[in-house]
């Protein structure tokens, strides 16, 4: 088998993506908690004779922020109950990622789920770790559930009323009303011990709008009425029973100021915890961890603590317990956590436990000694909380073997790409499969002799498969490196502009070492691209002598620059300025709806004009392109009203797309057309998925590409260097438009609403495709526009397709692999950094997805050129 030299960079890009995949598998931690049978065995529970809760209702209002419940206007009845002393309000903080499934797992099991569980949030696989629900089921205590179907990962509900489409973010009311109807029925039943209610309407409004939208307060007042119904029923039950029933009101996570969640802002990680129906003490100074709820709920209900729980106890919820019993509970919890912590880290806590135990003994002999009680209680609690936090960090193990294996391979690939050589004289690579055997054998031997010991590895099948794949990649990359080294050539460019572009990209590569630069990466691309635009404009003015030519340049460049000034302020992004009001926020206010309508009309008109002139091949297609734009106008203007489900207009849009595809296929079969109209269709779909204020971005990136292409042809004479300059500049504007859209390096800025456009039910493949197209739209469009420009150049300049493909794959590989490899080095060194899960990890996910999409794009380009 022979790999042609023109495909070397495609091989290197593929190898980099595979290596990065193994790096991610190793880097994103898997929960590794020491299982420990509860110190509170059934017999000991009976001996302690703890007062138990009769029945519990666990009510989750998805994405309920702490400040939302603090506002009396949102929850008038809740505040009335709190003022009467019939309940208490506490505060909780949640771990990352702030998405539903891992948060439910945390609150029921007391463990810290993996960060990568954000990717599993859509999955419905059964949960395997021990939870207080498992403990209740083991005791034949019946559990009923209504709401978010994520809870169906627990297989033992007596009855459930799961929402059919919990992920459907356009449902603000129907799902919640179904839960409330189920609640009315279940409050009349007496066979359950725990009733779980998970309301989603607030979360959905947040995804589509933001926590300050006019729909938020009515939704919260609706929840307040539900709480009133429950509390009134609890009062009726409690008046007839000695064992009290309670309502636990909390959330799985919060909501960022711009709407949505999955980030690390205080608004997303700080949530309320209320106990209603029983008198307890509120605490607005302490923040308890969400994992503490599993331990505390188990104690309240006389259950064994879940085996892997690392949570402490929430003392305010030990109501109705005598002081000596409260002290017994916190002592047992502290002893349990001490057994779970590593021995070399336990000395300080052992001493604190002994000191607390001595005060405990004093109090057992003299129960009137309040000082002994308070000191012992405080020491046990402090020790438990500190140990819990340490265990939370320890429970997330990084697999260094996979991490270093992926890192080494990416560094080797990066060195191979950087190595300067004469591209067109490098020999083809002849592959002898026998050459792979020694490399694989050496790696397997190293695994047995060294790696297993150093990295605490086992000889499982998965690790051997990884070693074999990495051995093959190592041999391939090594052979390519040797062939490139044989044609070493130091000289890079003749034009200084290319060196400026290279320096700019090196600056970005270095910037990934800073968490602040990652959070505010948009500022780097805004700066680099603005500098590039100024340089291009300067070259356009240069050499113009007549007033007419001078005015032509002004007419071409200045409007484009003014458009960029405007769209840069459309959507604030990053970390520091994301909450600052922007043009998009202003346009979505009710009083400014006419201005938003005007912007939609102008954007659609400009888009239609641009596509009709540049990308509509065949006059017969024009009416259907116009029809698609009409459907887009109807869709985006209708989406301004409360009801976001818009089937009729999106159906009209998809009919237009189907007709465009049909006509294109027919004309190609009749050999009347060579173009596939792929870009035209992609632009139309992108405009459908965009937020209303962003639909003009497609036109803007199109005219920016035209400006770049025109300027490059004037600035650079060398044909190869023209292609390289275009590659650099299109890559930059793709990054810039990614941030123009309102995206950032935080997972919370992903516009999940785009995945549900035109759908009345959840279809996961469609959601994934639509969300990907929308999120990475700027980068995908810039690559397509670049390829279109290079195809036009190759036809006009009679360039060999091999030459164009080689230059494209080489420099695209350089632009993706070098910064991502630099980042892999940084994130490995900083894996214990304070912001590793909130800043660096989301950036790693985005980089991997970008590189994967680039690989797919390059494979498509290669396929199109070949066939």
């Amino acid at each position: 088998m022979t790999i042609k030299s023109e495909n070397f960079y495609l091989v290197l890009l593929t190898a980099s993506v595979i290596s990065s995949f193994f790096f991610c598998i190793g880097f994103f931690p898997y929960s590794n908690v020491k299982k420990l049978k509860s110190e509170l065995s059934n017999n000991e529970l009976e001996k302690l004779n703890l007062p138990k809760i009769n029945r519990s209702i666990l009510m989750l209002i998805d994405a309920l922020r702490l400040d939302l419940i603090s506002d009396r206007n949102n929850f008038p009845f809740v505040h009335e109950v709190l003022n009467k002393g019939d309940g208490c309000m506490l505060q909780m903080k949640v771990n990352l990622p702030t998405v539903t499934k891992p948060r439910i797992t945390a609150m029921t099991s007391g463990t810290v789920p993996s960060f990568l569980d954000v990717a599993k949030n859509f999955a419905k696989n059964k949960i395997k770790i021990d939870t207080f629900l498992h403990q209740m089921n083991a005791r034949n205590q019946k559990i009923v559930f209504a709401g978010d179907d994520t809870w169906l990962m627990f297989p033992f509900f007596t009855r459930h009323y799961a929402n059919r489409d919990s992920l459907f973010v356009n449902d603000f009311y129907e799902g919640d009303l179904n839960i409330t109807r189920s609640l009315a029925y279940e409050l009349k039943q007496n066979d359950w011990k725990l009733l779980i209610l998970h309301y989603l309407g607030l979360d959905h409004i947040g995804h589509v709008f933001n926590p300050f939208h006019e729909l938020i307060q009515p939704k919260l007042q609706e929840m307040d009425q539900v709480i009133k119904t429950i509390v009134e029923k609890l009062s009726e039950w409690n008046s007839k029973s000695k064992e009290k029933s309670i309502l636990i009101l909390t959330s799985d996570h919060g909501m960022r100021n711009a709407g949505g969640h999955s980030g690390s802002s205080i608004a997303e990680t700080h949530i309320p915890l209320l106990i209603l129906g029983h008198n307890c003490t509120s605490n607005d100074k302490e923040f308890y961890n969400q994992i503490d709820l599993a331990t505390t709920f188990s104690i309240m209900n006389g259950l064994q603590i879940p085996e892997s729980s690392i949570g402490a106890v929430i003392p305010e919820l030990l109501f109705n317990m005598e002081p000596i019993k409260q002290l017994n509970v916190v002592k047992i919890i502290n002893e349990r956590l001490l057994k779970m912590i590593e021995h070399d880290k336990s000395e300080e806590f052992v001493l604190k436990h002994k000191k607390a135990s001595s005060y405990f003994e004093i109090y057992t002999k003299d129960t009137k000694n309040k000082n002994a009680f308070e000191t012992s209680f405080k020491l046990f609690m402090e020790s438990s909380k500190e140990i819990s936090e340490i265990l939370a960090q320890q429970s997330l193990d990084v697999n260094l073997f996979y991490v270093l294996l992926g890192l080494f391979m990416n560094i080797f690939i990066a060195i191979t790409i950087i190595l300067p050589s004469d591209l067109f004289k490098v020999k083809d690579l002849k592959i002898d499969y026998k050459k792979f055997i020694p490399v694989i054998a050496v790696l397997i031997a190293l695994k047995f002799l060294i790696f297993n010991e150093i990295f605490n590895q086992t000889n499982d099948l998965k690790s051997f498969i990884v070693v074999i794949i990495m051995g093959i990649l190592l041999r391939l990359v090594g052979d390519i490196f040797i062939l490139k080294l044989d044609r070493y050539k130091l000289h890079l460019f003749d034009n200084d502009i290319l060196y400026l572009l290279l320096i700019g990209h090196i600056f970005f590569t270095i910037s990934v070492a800073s968490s602040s630069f990652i959070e505010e990466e948009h500022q780097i691309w805004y700066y680099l691209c603005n500098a590039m635009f100024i340089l291009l404009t300067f070259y356009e003015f240069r050499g113009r002598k007549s007033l007419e030519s001078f005015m032509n340049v002004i007419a071409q460049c200045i409007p484009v620059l003014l458009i960029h000034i405007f769209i840069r302020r459309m959507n604030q992004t990053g970390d520091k300025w994301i909450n600052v009001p922007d043009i998009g926020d202003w346009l979505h206010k009710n009083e400014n709806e006419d201005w938003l309508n005007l912007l939609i009309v102008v954007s659609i008109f400009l888009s239609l004009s641009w596509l009709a002139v540049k990308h509509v091949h065949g006059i017969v297609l024009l009416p259907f392109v116009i029809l698609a734009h009409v459907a887009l106008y109807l869709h985006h203007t209708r989406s301004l009203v409360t009801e976001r489900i818009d089937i009729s207009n999106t159906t009209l849009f998809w009919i237009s797309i189907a007709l465009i595809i049909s006509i294109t296929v027919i004309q190609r079969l009749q050999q009347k057309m060579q173009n596939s109209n792929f870009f035209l269709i992609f632009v139309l779909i992108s405009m459908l998925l965009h937020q209303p204020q962003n639909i003009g971005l497609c036109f803007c990136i199109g005219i920016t590409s035209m400006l770049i292409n025109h300027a490059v042809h004037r600035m650079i004479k060398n044909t190869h260097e023209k292609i390289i300059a275009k590659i650099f500049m299109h890559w930059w504007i793709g990054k810039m438009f990614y941030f123009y859209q309102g995206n950032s390096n935080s997972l919370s800025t992903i516009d999940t609403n785009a995945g549900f456009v035109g759908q009345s039910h959840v279809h996961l493949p469609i959601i994934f495709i639509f969300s990907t197209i929308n999120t990475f739209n700027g980068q995908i469009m810039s690559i397509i526009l670049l390829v279109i420009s290079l195809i036009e150049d190759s036809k006009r300049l009679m360039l060999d397709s091999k030459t164009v493909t080689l230059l494209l794959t080489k420099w695209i590989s350089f632009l993706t692999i070098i910064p991502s490899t630099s980042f892999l080095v940084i994130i490995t060194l900083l894996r214990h950094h304070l912001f590793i899960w909130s800043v660096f990890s989301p950036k790693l996910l985005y980089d991997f997805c970008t590189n994967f999409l680039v690989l797919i794009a390059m494979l498509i380009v290669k396929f199109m050129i070949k066939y």
Side-chain angles (χ1 to χ4, degrees):
M1 181 179 173
T2 301
I3 300 178
K4 295 182 179 180
S5 59
E6 64 190 84
N7 296 327
F8 281 177
Y9 291 100
L10 204 54
V11 172
L12 293 174
L13 185 58
T14 304
S16 176
V17 169
I18 294 172
S19 302
S20 297
F21 175 72
F22 291 140
F23 181 96
C24 290
I25 288 177
F27 185 82
F28 288 112
Y30 52 92
S31 186
N32 184 25
V33 181
K34 180 181 179 181
K35 292 184 179 180
L36 192 69
K37 287 291 183 182
S38 175
E39 291 296 314
L40 293 172
S41 66
N42 292 334
N43 291 334
E44 288 169 321
L45 284 168
E46 295 302 324
K47 288 179 183 178
L48 283 174
N49 192 28
L50 300 176
K52 301 181 185 67
I53 298 300
N54 181 25
R55 305 173 85 184
S56 303
I57 299 176
L58 175 60
M59 179 176 174
L60 274 72
I61 303 177
D62 205 298
L64 179 63
R65 291 158 49 123
L66 195 55
D67 59 337
L68 292 179
I69 203 162
S70 300
D71 188 341
R72 181 180 295 271
N73 294 325
N74 295 333
F75 290 92
F77 177 77
V78 168
H79 282 272
E80 182 183 328
V81 172
L82 293 175
N83 291 336
K84 287 181 180 178
D86 291 335
C88 59
M89 177 171 162
L90 307 173
Q91 303 174 126
M92 287 200 306
K93 58 184 179 181
V94 306
N95 297 92
L96 298 179
T98 49
V99 291
T100 298
K101 186 175 182 179
R103 301 281 49 85
I104 291 174
T105 304
M107 74 171 67
T108 56
S109 69
T111 60
V112 181
S114 162
F115 181 88
L116 203 57
D117 281 356
V118 68
K120 302 176 182 177
N121 194 48
F122 295 109
K124 299 294 187 292
N125 51 303
K126 306 300 181 186
I127 190 167
K128 297 179 181 178
I129 58 176
D130 190 21
T131 67
F132 63 70
L133 299 178
H134 288 80
Q135 295 292 341
M136 295 182 76
N137 184 62
R139 293 186 172 210
N140 295 317
Q141 295 178 352
K142 294 184 178 180
I143 310 167
V144 178
F145 160 71
D148 186 346
D149 61 2
T150 303
W151 285 86
L152 294 184
M153 62 184 174
F154 300 105
F156 34 66
F157 294 118
T158 302
R159 292 182 296 277
H160 67 77
Y161 313 90
N163 291 347
R164 183 176 59 172
D165 289 330
S166 297
L167 296 173
F168 188 59
V169 295
N170 288 324
D171 175 19
F172 300 162
Y173 305 108
E174 184 181 347
D176 286 357
L177 291 174
N178 289 339
I179 298 172
T180 304
R181 281 192 286 267
S182 305
L183 170 66
Y185 171 77
E186 288 300 334
L187 289 178
K188 298 175 183 177
Q189 309 307 309
N190 58 9
D191 60 339
W192 50 264
K193 181 75 172 176
L194 173 63
L195 172 62
I196 300 171
L197 309 171
H198 191 146
Y199 285 90
L200 287 163
L202 176 66
D203 179 60
H204 290 175
I205 295 172
H207 278 296
V208 176
F209 300 111
N210 58 60
F212 312 110
H213 193 267
E214 61 183 8
L215 294 177
I216 292 291
Q217 190 170 82
K219 171 54 67 175
L220 296 177
Q221 290 171 350
E222 177 192 335
M223 295 295 98
D224 190 59
Q225 287 301 308
V226 172
I227 295 167
K228 182 178 181 181
T229 301
I230 296 172
V231 171
E232 288 175 349
K233 192 66 176 179
L234 291 178
S235 299
E236 180 185 328
W237 291 344
N238 290 339
S239 64
K240 301 175 182 177
S241 172
K242 291 182 179 180
E243 290 186 343
K244 301 298 182 183
S245 298
I246 60 168
L247 166 64
I248 302 173
L249 175 64
T250 185
S251 182
D252 48 352
H253 51 72
M255 185 195 306
R256 70 187 182 108
N257 290 340
H261 53 88
S262 74
S264 58
S265 66
I266 290 176
E268 294 167 90
T269 57
H270 290 65
I271 59 172
L273 172 64
L274 286 84
I275 304 297
L276 302 176
H278 202 293
N279 59 324
C280 52
T281 305
S282 294
N283 186 343
D284 60 356
K285 296 180 181 179
E286 191 80 35
F287 275 94
Y288 296 103
N289 201 307
Q290 191 178 47
I291 59 177
D292 298 340
L293 186 59
T295 299
T296 309
F297 185 87
S298 299
I299 299 295
M300 293 168 68
N301 286 274
L303 304 169
Q304 291 189 30
I305 298 169
E307 291 180 352
S308 300
S309 176
I310 56 173
V313 71
I314 302 173
E316 286 83 0
L317 302 191
L318 301 179
F319 43 68
N320 271 10
M321 284 190 194
E322 299 168 12
I324 188 64
K325 291 183 179 179
Q326 291 186 20
L327 207 52
N328 262 307
V329 168
V330 295
K331 179 177 183 290
I332 291 170
I333 297 298
N334 188 233
E335 289 172 348
R336 180 179 187 277
L337 292 173
L338 268 175
K339 291 181 179 180
M340 299 179 78
I341 196 170
E342 293 177 4
H343 180 71
D344 59 335
K345 296 182 180 180
S346 64
E347 184 177 352
E348 173 192 349
F349 302 110
V350 169
L351 293 174
K352 188 175 285 190
H353 178 78
K354 288 181 179 178
K355 185 177 179 181
S357 297
S358 64
Y359 280 100
F360 175 80
E361 292 299 326
I362 294 171
Y363 182 74
T364 54
K365 294 174 183 177
D366 180 10
T367 55
K368 295 181 179 180
N369 191 334
K370 291 185 178 180
N371 180 59
F373 171 82
E374 290 173 358
T375 305
S376 178
F377 196 92
K378 180 182 178 182
L379 288 172
F380 280 134
M381 282 300 303
E382 284 180 357
S383 176
S384 296
K385 289 188 69 174
E386 290 169 4
I387 295 173
S388 179
E389 289 176 2
I390 292 173
L391 288 171
Q393 292 296 323
Q394 289 179 354
S395 67
L396 301 178
D397 284 350
V398 172
N399 189 325
L400 269 179
F401 176 65
Y402 286 3
V403 165
L404 295 180
L405 207 59
L407 179 64
F408 168 78
M409 183 58 69
N410 269 287
I411 292 173
F412 190 23
I413 293 167
I415 292 170
T416 305
I417 287 175
I418 292 173
L419 182 68
S421 61
D422 190 338
L423 293 175
F424 305 103
K425 294 183 179 179
V426 175
K427 298 177 182 178
D428 294 342
L429 174 61
K430 295 181 179 179
I431 297 178
D432 183 357
Y433 294 105
K434 295 177 182 178
K435 293 181 179 179
F436 293 122
I437 296 174
V439 179
I440 294 171
V442 168
L443 285 177
I444 290 176
L446 288 173
K447 175 175 167 51
F448 276 110
L449 299 174
I450 300 175
F451 295 155
N452 285 358
E453 184 68 26
I454 295 176
F455 302 112
N456 195 25
Q457 282 285 305
T458 57
N459 293 319
D460 59 316
L461 180 61
K462 184 174 74 172
S463 63
F464 279 112
I465 291 173
V466 171
V467 167
I468 291 170
I469 293 173
M470 295 304 278
I472 293 170
L473 295 180
L474 181 62
R475 181 71 207 211
L476 283 174
V477 175
D479 286 344
I480 293 172
F481 177 83
I482 292 170
L483 289 172
K484 283 194 70 179
L485 189 62
D486 186 52
R487 294 295 180 180
Y488 181 80
K489 178 185 176 183
L490 185 58
H491 181 71
L492 290 177
F493 313 121
D494 293 323
N495 195 299
D496 293 340
I497 293 171
L498 288 167
Y499 284 106
L500 289 175
L501 294 171
L502 186 61
I503 290 169
H505 208 74
I506 291 171
F507 172 73
F508 163 67
T509 301
I510 296 171
S511 74
V512 297
S514 165
S515 62
S516 296
F517 272 127
I518 292 172
E519 288 178 319
E520 312 298 338
E521 186 183 327
H522 63 287
Q523 301 286 11
I524 296 173
W525 293 113
Y526 291 170
Y527 175 81
L528 291 176
C529 289
N530 285 337
M532 180 181 72
F533 291 149
I534 292 170
L535 181 66
L536 296 181
T537 305
F538 171 76
Y539 267 90
E540 285 294 319
F541 280 114
R542 188 179 178 184
R544 306 277 182 171
K545 296 180 180 180
S546 66
L547 180 62
E548 182 181 355
S549 62
F550 192 81
M551 294 304 294
N552 283 337
V553 173
I554 292 177
Q556 291 173 3
C557 297
I558 301 304
V560 177
L561 297 179
L562 291 175
I563 287 173
H564 277 276
I565 292 172
F566 176 74
I567 59 177
R568 176 179 175 176
R569 289 159 177 78
M570 183 66 72
N571 303 290
Q572 290 285 359
T573 186
D575 180 61
K576 294 182 179 178
W577 292 279
I578 194 167
N579 297 324
V580 176
D582 50 40
I583 296 174
D585 294 328
W586 183 82
L587 288 170
H588 278 284
K589 291 182 178 178
N590 288 338
E591 61 269 24
N592 301 320
E593 188 175 312
D594 291 339
W595 287 104
L596 182 53
N597 271 315
L598 178 62
L599 178 64
I600 292 170
V601 170
V602 171
S603 299
I604 286 177
F605 174 76
L606 292 173
S607 168
L608 179 58
S609 304
W610 165 59
L611 291 173
V613 172
K614 291 287 295 181
H615 299 287
V616 176
H617 302 277
I619 192 69
V620 70
L621 291 175
L622 190 56
F624 304 107
V625 176
I626 295 172
L627 181 63
H629 279 79
V630 170
L632 287 171
Y633 170 76
L634 295 173
H635 166 72
H636 284 295
T637 51
R638 178 170 175 75
S639 68
L640 302 180
V641 299
T642 301
E643 182 56 67
R644 296 295 296 251
I645 301 175
D646 181 24
I647 304 299
S648 58
N649 294 321
T650 50
T651 301
L652 179 63
F653 173 83
W654 289 116
I655 290 172
S656 305
I657 295 296
L659 290 170
I660 292 171
I661 294 171
S662 301
I663 292 170
T664 302
V665 170
I666 292 170
Q667 290 191 334
R668 289 206 67 174
L669 290 173
Q670 295 176 348
Q671 297 183 343
K672 293 181 179 180
M673 181 189 294
Q674 291 185 342
N675 197 286
S676 65
N677 287 309
F678 169 78
F679 180 67
L680 169 66
I681 295 166
F682 184 82
V683 170
L684 292 174
I685 294 173
S686 300
M687 292 174 67
L688 176 74
L689 302 180
H690 275 320
Q691 291 284 344
Q693 76 273 15
N694 288 338
I695 60 174
L697 292 180
C698 295
F699 163 75
C700 293
I701 196 171
I703 61 168
T704 304
S705 174
M706 291 165 61
L707 173 65
I708 286 173
N709 293 332
H710 185 268
V712 165
H713 285 295
R714 291 195 75 251
M715 288 191 305
I716 303 173
K717 302 302 180 186
N718 184 287
T719 303
H720 287 184
E721 293 189 353
K722 282 182 183 180
I723 294 173
I724 296 170
K726 285 184 178 183
I727 293 169
F728 265 89
M729 292 178 183
H730 278 84
W731 183 259
W732 284 16
I733 65 169
K735 287 286 189 179
M736 179 176 64
F737 273 85
Y738 170 83
F739 293 106
Y740 275 170
Q741 194 176 321
N743 294 318
S744 71
N745 283 323
S746 170
L747 298 176
S748 59
T749 54
I750 295 175
D751 181 15
T752 53
N753 190 45
F756 299 91
V757 169
Q759 298 184 70
S760 57
H761 299 293
V762 172
H763 303 286
L764 287 179
I766 296 176
I767 292 171
F768 176 77
I769 293 169
F770 280 6
S771 298
T772 302
I773 290 173
N774 182 257
T775 302
F776 298 97
N777 190 256
Q779 290 155 287
I780 296 171
M781 278 195 66
S782 67
I783 291 177
I784 298 173
L785 286 166
L786 169 63
V787 171
I788 291 172
S789 174
L790 295 182
I791 290 172
E792 292 173 351
D793 286 349
S794 65
K795 291 178 179 178
R796 187 178 66 256
L797 302 173
M798 303 296 289
L799 289 174
D800 181 15
S801 61
K802 174 184 175 181
T803 302
V804 177
T805 307
L806 186 56
L807 289 170
L808 177 65
T809 53
K810 174 191 165 108
W811 289 104
I812 286 291
S813 299
F814 174 85
L815 293 171
T816 54
I817 292 174
I818 304 306
S820 62
T821 301
S822 172
F823 184 66
L824 293 184
V825 174
I826 296 299
I827 199 172
T828 302
L829 295 174
L830 300 180
R831 63 186 181 276
H832 300 299
H833 193 279
L834 181 63
F835 299 139
I836 191 66
W837 303 122
S838 59
V839 177
F840 290 97
S841 293
K843 168 69 174 172
L844 177 58
L845 283 177
Y846 276 122
D847 273 4
F848 175 76
C849 291
T850 301
N851 292 1
F852 182 71
L853 288 173
V854 167
L855 173 61
I856 292 174
M858 292 301 101
L859 290 172
I860 291 172
V861 169
K862 183 66 182 177
F863 178 83
M864 289 172 63
I865 290 172
K866 185 174 181 180
Y867 295 103

